[in-house]
Amino acid sequence: MTELPNVHVRAEILAQALPHMQRYDQEIVLIKYGGHAMGDAEAAQTFAQDVVLLEQSGLKPLVVHGGGPQIGKMLNRLGIQSEFRGGLRVTDAATVEVVEMVLAGSINKQIVGWISGQGGRAIGLCGKDGNMVRAKRALKTYRDPESNEEQVLDLGLVGEPEHVERGVLDAVLKAELIPVLAPVAYGADGQTYNVNADTFAGAIAGALRAKRLLLLTDVPGVLDKNKKLIPELTVEDCRRLIADGTITGGMIPKIETCMYALDRGVEAVVILDGKVNHAVLLELFTNYGAGTLIRRG
């Protein structure tokens, strides 16, 4: 006699997901998708399944994606040398053309294809479309290791969101489409700007007053000094952990994006590991969560 799969266990799992689905019914959830998970074909298909399941369950998912490694590969292929200042890539006119080609072109349409392949209806857009996002030149500072003085970095055509016009996104969501957004935007000066994907996602989530902003990364979440996951934080906790050196390096700008989004009306932000299978579903539809949840307080 062939042993049947444990269908009762599966049914119980589905039943446990019901209150979570009801909590997020018709709510906006924005997912920032990036890191090494984007380069893994199997993980990409799993991510696409999660996004389609969210939409089929009554949520309104949006995806904002990055693409730093892919941009770097294309620049190398075209023989365009990158200049770095303070460890950050300078985006000149030649570089921003490649950035737009890779982000708003190949990567964006690849993700749309993944979602469509799982039965979803996705549409690829960037910040330029419908004047969705207006950017301004980003001002970055760094501390010079020799003089120990803070210096302003000119990173060229690197921008940060100045204004989000939500009309295009409202129309797309009303049509029951899944927006897939590339972080490229126009400035009031007519220039094209390369915007950090986390920052772009935070601005979009804030403008839409999303129920959740999920930042998929390459780490489990925010770690304490013993490298153990911190399951939940408030904004006050985040400021304290930055001040005492627990939160350092690249996690600081992610936390700043979280605080920015919360300040603009997002209910909660989660930093989670995009390499974990079905991390999005674990976070939204189970009691266990899959990363660090950050609330206003």
Side-chain angles (χ1 to χ4, degrees), residues 88-156:
L88 300 172
R89 189 195 306 272
V90 176
T91 302
D92 57 16
T95 301
V96 83
E97 285 188 26
V98 175
V99 167
E100 185 169 14
M101 176 177 67
V102 173
L103 290 181
S106 59
I107 294 178
N108 188 267
K109 302 314 173 191
Q110 186 177 48
I111 296 172
V112 167
W114 291 335
I115 293 172
S116 298
Q118 296 299 327
R121 297 171 63 233
I123 182 169
L125 301 166
C126 75
K128 289 183 173 183
D129 293 308
N131 290 323
M132 185 195 312
V133 179
R134 185 176 69 241
K136 62 180 180 180
R137 188 177 290 248
L139 293 177
K140 302 289 184 182
T141 61
Y142 86 111
R143 188 169 296 279
D144 185 280
E146 294 183 5
S147 65
N148 201 34
E149 295 180 355
E150 278 205 347
Q151 298 186 6
V152 176
L153 290 174
D154 180 6
L155 297 176

Side-chain angles (χ1 to χ4, degrees), residues 9-75:
V9 172
R10 296 181 184 181
E12 180 64 26
I13 291 169
L14 289 173
Q16 289 177 8
L18 178 60
H20 300 284
M21 292 178 177
Q22 291 171 329
R23 178 194 305 165
Y24 292 108
D25 185 45
Q26 298 304 304
E27 297 284 359
I28 292 172
V29 173
L30 193 148
I31 307 163
K32 185 268 173 173
Y33 180 51
H36 293 303
M38 286 182 63
D40 184 303
E42 185 176 343
Q45 296 302 324
T46 299
F47 171 77
Q49 288 176 352
D50 289 2
V51 172
V52 173
L53 183 56
L54 294 184
E55 200 276 331
Q56 291 291 311
S57 301
L59 285 74
K60 298 179 179 179
L62 299 88
V63 177
V64 169
H65 64 84
Q70 293 90 334
I71 291 169
K73 288 179 182 177
M74 183 59 73
L75 289 171

Side-chain angles (χ1 to χ4, degrees), residues 95-257:
T95 301
V96 83
E97 285 188 26
V98 175
V99 167
E100 185 169 14
M101 176 177 67
V102 173
L103 290 181
S106 59
I107 294 178
N108 188 267
K109 302 314 173 191
Q110 186 177 48
I111 296 172
V112 167
W114 291 335
I115 293 172
S116 298
Q118 296 299 327
R121 297 171 63 233
I123 182 169
L125 301 166
C126 75
K128 289 183 173 183
D129 293 308
N131 290 323
M132 185 195 312
V133 179
R134 185 176 69 241
K136 62 180 180 180
R137 188 177 290 248
L139 293 177
K140 302 289 184 182
T141 61
Y142 86 111
R143 188 169 296 279
D144 185 280
E146 294 183 5
S147 65
N148 201 34
E149 295 180 355
E150 278 205 347
Q151 298 186 6
V152 176
L153 290 174
D154 180 6
L155 297 176
L157 299 175
V158 173
E160 58 187 24
E162 186 175 35
H163 175 74
V164 176
E165 173 54 59
R166 58 176 289 173
V168 172
L169 293 173
D170 285 336
V172 169
L173 292 172
K174 186 176 181 180
E176 298 184 351
L177 297 170
I178 301 169
V180 179
L181 310 176
V184 177
Y186 269 134
D189 55 5
Q191 292 280 5
T192 296
Y193 284 98
N194 174 23
V195 182
N196 174 273
D198 286 346
T199 307
F200 191 93
I204 297 288
L208 294 176
R209 294 189 174 273
K211 182 83 168 179
R212 286 287 186 275
L213 168 60
L214 307 182
L215 299 178
L216 271 62
T217 69
D218 295 328
V219 295
V222 181
L223 307 179
D224 64 19
K225 289 187 176 179
N226 295 317
K227 304 303 180 185
K228 292 184 178 179
L229 179 68
I230 304 173
E232 190 165 338
L233 292 168
T234 64
V235 169
E236 184 178 342
D237 293 332
C238 291
R239 293 195 177 107
R240 175 175 52 80
L241 293 176
I242 290 173
D244 72 12
T246 301
I247 296 175
T248 60
M251 186 57 73
I252 292 177
K254 288 188 184 298
I255 294 295
E256 289 173 343
T257 290

Side-chain angles (χ1 to χ4, degrees), residues 278-297:
H278 301 297
V280 171
L281 299 185
L282 286 171
E283 176 57 41
L284 296 177
F285 288 167
T286 75
N287 295 325
Y288 303 103
T292 300
L293 179 76
I294 303 173
R295 299 183 185 273
R296 282 188 289 273

